[in-house]
Amino acid sequence: MPTVIKHRRINIVTLAPGESITEHCRSGDIAIVQDEQGWWAHFVGDNGEVSGYDEPFESYNKALWTAKAAAEFAAE
């Protein structure tokens, strides 16, 4: 079950293994997903397109702080 943190009116959604970004996130949301390489921050666009960084973060906290910083920027 995904965990949602609302920061500056942006949903930051942490997904469990096997959960889909397209199933649990909407336009404007930021998804945090873990795989064998690390923690990824994905951004859901207006048309449902998903983009993100080229490299994973080494920890959940680094991915979360990056997502919060992106939410701060988007809220301006």
Side-chain angles (χ1 to χ4, degrees):
M1 179 164 183
T3 302
V4 179
I5 297 170
K6 189 170 282 279
H7 187 76
R8 299 285 186 187
R9 292 188 264 174
I10 305 286
N11 288 331
I12 301 171
V13 183
T14 302
L15 300 172
E19 291 182 326
S20 153
I21 293 173
T22 56
E23 184 179 331
H24 295 286
C25 297
R26 298 177 307 217
S27 174
D29 288 352
I30 302 171
I32 298 177
V33 181
Q34 183 184 27
D35 68 11
E36 63 279 345
Q37 296 177 330
W39 292 90
W40 297 87
H42 298 284
F43 306 94
V44 182
D46 291 335
N47 296 318
E49 71 275 1
V50 178
S51 63
Y53 297 109
D54 293 338
E55 297 287 325
F57 295 93
E58 60 190 40
S59 71
Y60 169 77
N61 284 335
K62 287 185 179 183
L64 177 61
W65 283 107
T66 299
K68 285 183 175 182
E72 291 280 337
F73 181 74
E76 291 183 354

